[in-house]
Amino acid sequence: MNRQAVDLLDVRSQRNLPHRPTIPHPGRPVAAHAATNHPGPPAGALRVLVVENDARAADSLVQGLLRQGYAAQSVATGTKALQAHRDADLLLLDLDLPDLDGLEVCRGIRAVCDTPVIAVTARGSELDRVLGLQAGSDDYLVKPYGFRELLARMEAVMRRVRQQPASAQVITHGPLRIDVGTRVATLDGEPVDLTRKEFDLLHLLASQPGTVMPRRQLMAQVWDDTWSHRGRTIDTHVSSLRGKLGSSGWIITVRGVGFRLGHP
């Protein structure tokens, strides 16, 4: 988040605030109770995850959200966002992150859950907005922005989310059936004996059939690792999955990119 955006945050204008807390190390979560002389959020408060690599901007935004009664914390990388998003009710996602592109992070989150995402970014062209929305963000806010506008957009997104029915917990792809709730996969009605990582990998591919999932994204979401892309971890699990599903056509290799779900 750039300096101009930080200056526009309305929370800085309040005169009776306590001294500014120490800026956390980038990537270190800011606990909801960490605000100086600030009571914890009320029970049932909306949990907001701020994904922002600028420590000062992240701290200002988290403190502002805490004062508004949200349970807010921050992470500084896409990898940490992919690890922590399941504990959040709403994400404020910067698209310019040091390890993963924010669009890739958004697609990864959307592949496995319906947690609402608001892209908060300096990328302001029409194409950038289109790409952000196509990647799965529920709203798109360009820096610099006003804090009150951000709060209004958060409230609007949550109203829409509450009106939507719960997403299906079962993915069906021809004879392949994946029950997310029970973590059971069946093929032609017969259970497939999968390890935890094999199930996670198959579920991730099946959640976006026809979409090529990059190796780095698979490593980040299934193994919480974005740096071991040269290893054989994915290939070993893909080979095992193909064997257990009885055909190499279930998982298609896209050379130099990643994998997608097939249909033999």
Side-chain angles (χ1 to χ4, degrees):
M1 186 177 293
N2 58 35
R3 180 68 185 177
Q4 188 177 5
V6 174
D7 292 339
L8 282 175
L9 291 177
D10 296 344
V11 297
R12 290 275 183 97
S13 65
Q14 300 182 27
R15 300 296 185 184
N16 59 346
L17 296 179
H19 70 278
R20 179 179 177 80
T22 301
I23 296 174
H25 186 278
R28 181 177 301 165
V30 180
H33 60 272
T36 304
N37 298 329
H38 190 279
L46 191 75
R47 299 168 301 173
V48 181
L49 180 63
V50 175
V51 185
E52 168 63 72
N53 72 328
D54 184 318
R56 179 171 301 195
D59 183 62
S60 287
L61 183 51
V62 166
Q63 299 306 319
L65 292 171
L66 289 172
R67 284 189 287 270
Q68 294 297 321
Y70 293 99
Q73 64 176 5
S74 69
V75 295
T77 66
T79 300
K80 290 185 180 297
L82 291 172
Q83 296 170 353
H85 73 87
R86 295 181 185 276
D87 296 324
D89 299 311
L90 173 69
L91 273 78
L92 302 179
L93 175 64
D94 190 356
L95 299 184
D96 296 307
L97 300 172
D99 56 342
L100 298 172
D101 185 87
L103 295 177
E104 187 176 331
V105 175
C106 188
R107 282 190 289 266
I109 293 171
R110 191 57 67 237
V112 297
C113 70
D114 293 326
T115 303
V117 176
I118 299 179
V120 182
T121 175
R123 304 180 189 178
S125 72
E126 180 182 6
L127 177 59
D128 287 324
R129 294 171 188 267
V130 170
L131 291 175
L133 295 172
Q134 288 179 340
S137 65
D138 297 272
D139 202 351
Y140 196 98
L141 186 59
V142 178
K143 303 174 184 178
Y145 60 87
F147 187 59
R148 285 190 292 268
E149 180 184 2
L150 174 63
L151 294 177
R153 287 177 180 268
M154 290 169 58
E155 292 171 1
V157 166
M158 294 310 300
R159 281 198 302 270
R160 295 197 297 268
V161 168
R162 294 185 184 106
Q163 294 171 358
Q164 296 174 355
S167 58
Q169 291 294 301
V170 176
I171 299 175
T172 302
H173 190 71
L176 179 63
R177 184 177 187 272
I178 301 172
D179 190 318
V180 181
T182 62
R183 293 184 62 84
V184 172
T186 59
L187 184 62
D188 293 319
E190 295 295 326
V192 184
D193 185 19
L194 302 177
T195 67
R196 182 169 63 89
K197 293 300 186 184
E198 287 171 352
F199 182 90
D200 292 342
L201 178 58
L202 181 62
H203 171 227
L204 187 56
L205 292 171
S207 64
Q208 294 192 59
T211 299
V212 179
M213 305 290 286
R215 283 176 173 270
R216 188 167 61 172
Q217 183 176 338
L218 293 173
M219 287 299 299
Q221 290 191 249
V222 179
W223 286 275
D224 296 333
D225 183 358
T226 58
W227 308 112
S228 302
H229 58 282
R230 294 183 179 179
R232 301 291 298 173
T233 300
I234 295 179
D235 302 274
T236 300
H237 282 76
V238 165
S239 178
S240 178
L241 271 176
R242 287 168 171 164
K244 292 181 178 182
L245 294 174
S247 172
S248 61
W250 276 111
I251 302 179
I252 307 300
T253 301
V254 180
R255 188 176 299 275
V257 182
F259 301 90
R260 66 175 177 83
L261 190 69
H263 192 169

